[in-house]
Amino acid sequence: MLAAASFVLPVAADAQALREYAVVGDAIPQSLTGAAGDAARGRVLVLERTSTCILCHGGPFPETRFQGDLAPNLAGAGSRWSEGQLRLRLVDAASLNPATIMPSYYRLEGLVRVGPAWRGKPILSAEQIEDMVAYLTSLRE
């Protein structure tokens, strides 16, 4: 069992600064933007190959071919994980499992082998993270 912990991550000082957030136990309970995301935009992001989600995850996407099977199926994600748990998994899955192959979509520090196009900026914006969280929480079995 993961012990409940609460801390605030530092915010970068440059123009690509990440928004401040608090990790509580195994979740980020508060929205990164202060508002709920848009589930329809989140679905589009999950299915875009550039976000890499469906390269590793399968899910309830019958129209999408070649879904991954390296990671948990996203069907029922909203039943298995809370909004805050999903948010932390998107922001920084390595904080929960250092050996994960899942990218840290909203982290800048402590990364290795980062492509030049992504150095100094997160893979996804805070708004995109919230859109994906909104969509994933809607996936109930």
Side-chain angles (χ1 to χ4, degrees):
M1 177 184 279
L2 202 62
S6 178
F7 56 91
V8 176
L9 298 175
V11 176
D14 63 20
Q16 295 293 329
L18 299 179
R19 296 184 189 178
E20 195 172 290
Y21 58 87
V23 176
V24 178
D26 66 345
I28 299 173
Q30 299 300 314
S31 167
L32 298 176
T33 63
D38 179 278
R41 285 193 311 250
R43 185 178 197 284
V44 169
L45 287 166
V46 166
L47 294 177
E48 283 181 356
R49 299 239 181 241
T50 56
S51 73
T52 71
C53 298
I54 62 169
L55 296 179
C56 294
H57 294 276
F61 323 116
E63 74 284 7
T64 303
R65 297 180 58 198
F66 308 116
Q67 298 178 34
D69 61 3
L70 296 173
N73 192 292
L74 296 177
S79 298
R80 291 192 305 273
W81 297 291
S82 71
E83 181 180 299
Q85 289 171 319
L86 287 164
R87 187 175 293 111
L88 180 55
R89 281 156 175 77
L90 289 167
V91 166
D92 186 16
S95 69
L96 297 167
N97 176 7
T100 187
I101 61 171
M102 185 162 165
S104 293
Y105 287 99
Y106 197 70
R107 185 177 100 188
L108 301 178
E109 303 301 320
L111 302 174
V112 294
R113 298 186 322 184
V114 176
W118 297 107
R119 287 188 190 135
K121 61 183 176 182
I123 296 171
L124 297 173
S125 70
E127 291 79 8
Q128 290 172 316
I129 294 284
E130 292 307 319
D131 290 344
M132 292 174 87
V133 167
Y135 175 63
L136 293 171
T137 58
S138 76
L139 297 179
R140 308 252 176 209
E141 292 185 287

